[in-house]
Amino acid sequence: MAVHPQSGPVPVAVGRRPEPVHTVAVYAFDGMAPFELGVVVEVFGLARPELSGLLAAPWYDVRVCADEPGTPLNAVGGFSLTARHGLDDLAAADTVMVVAVPNPFGGAVSPGLVAALRTAHERGARIVSICSGAFALAAAGLLDGLEATTHWRYADLLQQRHPAVRVNPDVLYVDNGTVLTSAGSAAGIDLCLYLVRRDHGARVANTVARRFVVPPHRDGGQAQFIEAAVTPVAAEDDGVARSMQWALDQLAGPLTVPLLARAARMSERSYLRHFTARNGTSPMRWVTAQRVAASLPLLESPEGTVEEIAAAVGFESAATFRHHFGRTMRVSPTAYRRTFGRGAA
């Protein structure tokens, strides 16, 4: 049986009570850089007419919160903003996001923020950090005994200051269920899209990513640091992009490094070096991630068995598919379908 991505709106059961709006609270403070705050507001707070007919639950309600609501907060770049909500609202939110702390190298974390994070966590809220925001979660004791990440330049400091935390400086984000951490800046986009995928499924997350003009999914285990080009990109580097597009067009077929290098018109050794420098991961790990991503909308459809979906996206067997899917998504394909499949409760 052939398995193909489905189109059309996600059905909503008739007679069900409307689901409550999921509130996302993000912490703001005087002197903050605006990028990460803007990412959160852009992903969760922007009106999204492009999702009409795709959502089975309401979109998010974003609340920017501060220690003293109504007080202007200076931002890097010479402007100010005013948060309408205080820490009580942050403590009561469904998802609480700390995108930075004022001074990870020496400043104390706001005691009010620490108390609000503990209250939210005790309620069962989802607690999320981006970049140096991990220092606030660690100060609240929410990362003790857990793996966590932060911007690579803060990783050693976080480990020294909070030895009970298992700091991993080499990943984009870490999901511990109700507590999630991400690396700096752009990794926050990856984590926000990952949360949308968890809440609303792959089709919605892909639509949001398309408007954001970013890849819909980067594996959280991908390396933070990618070698940056400091000279004009050589002509043969264009072959890497050509090989990636070629691979995406035939994920169901056999894909090996020799085949990818041939599509790029490069030697295998040169291809491996240029691919890793550009993408921060190996070619076959990238292929595996693309196959897992391609399987998500298929699992959300009621059609096709796990075995058929595994074959449709290029895995040699269902067992191989389950192994790589579990490593990437932290759940089995069956559990993902049970949670995100159309018609799921």
Side-chain angles (χ1 to χ4, degrees), residues 2-338:
V3 181
H4 303 286
Q6 300 295 306
S7 59
V10 178
V12 181
V14 176
R16 290 177 60 182
R17 292 182 179 179
E19 295 190 34
V21 176
H22 186 110
T23 56
V24 175
V26 55
Y27 180 69
F29 56 87
D30 192 65
M32 73 182 307
F35 179 82
E36 291 86 353
L37 175 65
V39 166
V40 173
V41 173
E42 173 88 4
V43 171
F44 300 106
L46 194 67
R48 297 200 173 274
E50 70 271 21
L51 298 181
S52 177
L54 293 180
L55 293 173
W59 198 239
Y60 306 91
D61 174 25
V62 173
R63 301 175 183 179
V64 179
C65 304
D67 290 271
E68 299 180 7
T71 301
L73 303 172
N74 296 315
V76 173
F79 66 96
S80 63
L81 59 92
T82 302
R84 298 179 181 176
H85 302 277
L87 296 182
D88 288 344
D89 292 297
L90 185 138
D94 299 304
T95 293
V96 176
M97 305 196 69
V98 183
V99 299
V101 294
N103 182 7
F105 290 107
V109 177
S110 160
L113 174 60
V114 168
L117 288 172
R118 288 172 177 164
T119 299
H121 185 255
E122 290 169 1
R123 287 181 37 253
R126 183 166 61 189
I127 313 295
V128 181
S129 70
I130 298 174
C131 196
S132 65
F135 285 82
L137 274 59
L142 305 187
L143 298 180
D144 288 356
L146 299 178
E147 181 181 337
T149 194
T150 184
H151 192 291
W152 57 266
R153 70 188 293 249
Y154 302 137
D156 288 343
L157 178 62
L158 182 63
Q159 187 67 82
Q160 293 167 12
R161 192 172 296 170
H162 300 281
V165 182
R166 301 197 309 272
V167 179
N168 185 346
D170 299 322
V171 296
L172 295 179
Y173 54 86
V174 176
D175 178 3
N176 287 297
T178 59
V179 180
L180 302 93
T181 56
S182 74
S185 299
I189 301 175
D190 296 300
L191 182 53
C192 287
L193 290 173
Y194 175 75
L195 294 176
V196 172
R197 185 182 298 274
R198 271 183 42 173
D199 294 344
H200 295 281
R203 293 176 69 222
V204 170
N206 291 351
T207 302
V208 174
R210 198 156 45 241
R211 182 166 173 181
F212 225 110
V213 198
V214 295
H217 175 74
R218 286 201 296 171
D219 180 9
Q222 182 169 321
Q224 284 192 37
F225 185 76
I226 299 175
E227 179 183 338
V230 293
T231 58
V233 177
E236 66 172 342
D237 270 346
D238 292 341
V240 172
R242 182 170 57 248
S243 72
M244 293 169 73
Q245 185 57 58
W246 175 81
L248 291 174
D249 290 339
Q250 51 180 346
L251 280 178
L255 293 173
T256 63
V257 171
L259 288 173
L260 289 166
R262 188 181 307 165
R265 300 172 191 168
M266 299 166 65
S267 70
E268 290 182 36
R269 181 176 180 181
S270 179
Y271 181 75
L272 285 168
R273 178 167 58 86
H274 285 287
F275 189 100
T276 303
R278 170 173 285 195
N279 297 294
T281 189
S282 70
M284 296 316 298
R285 182 170 181 174
W286 175 84
V287 167
T288 297
Q290 303 314 304
R291 284 173 165 160
V292 169
S295 75
L296 299 180
L298 301 181
L299 288 169
E300 292 172 18
S301 164
E303 298 182 8
T305 65
V306 169
E307 288 75 13
E308 290 166 340
I309 292 171
V313 298
F315 286 104
E316 295 179 356
S317 67
T320 303
F321 174 47
R322 290 187 178 97
H323 170 74
H324 288 295
F325 191 96
R327 288 189 62 181
T328 300
M329 303 301 295
R330 308 294 179 93
V331 296
S332 69
T334 301
Y336 182 91
R337 168 170 269 178
R338 188 164 53 244

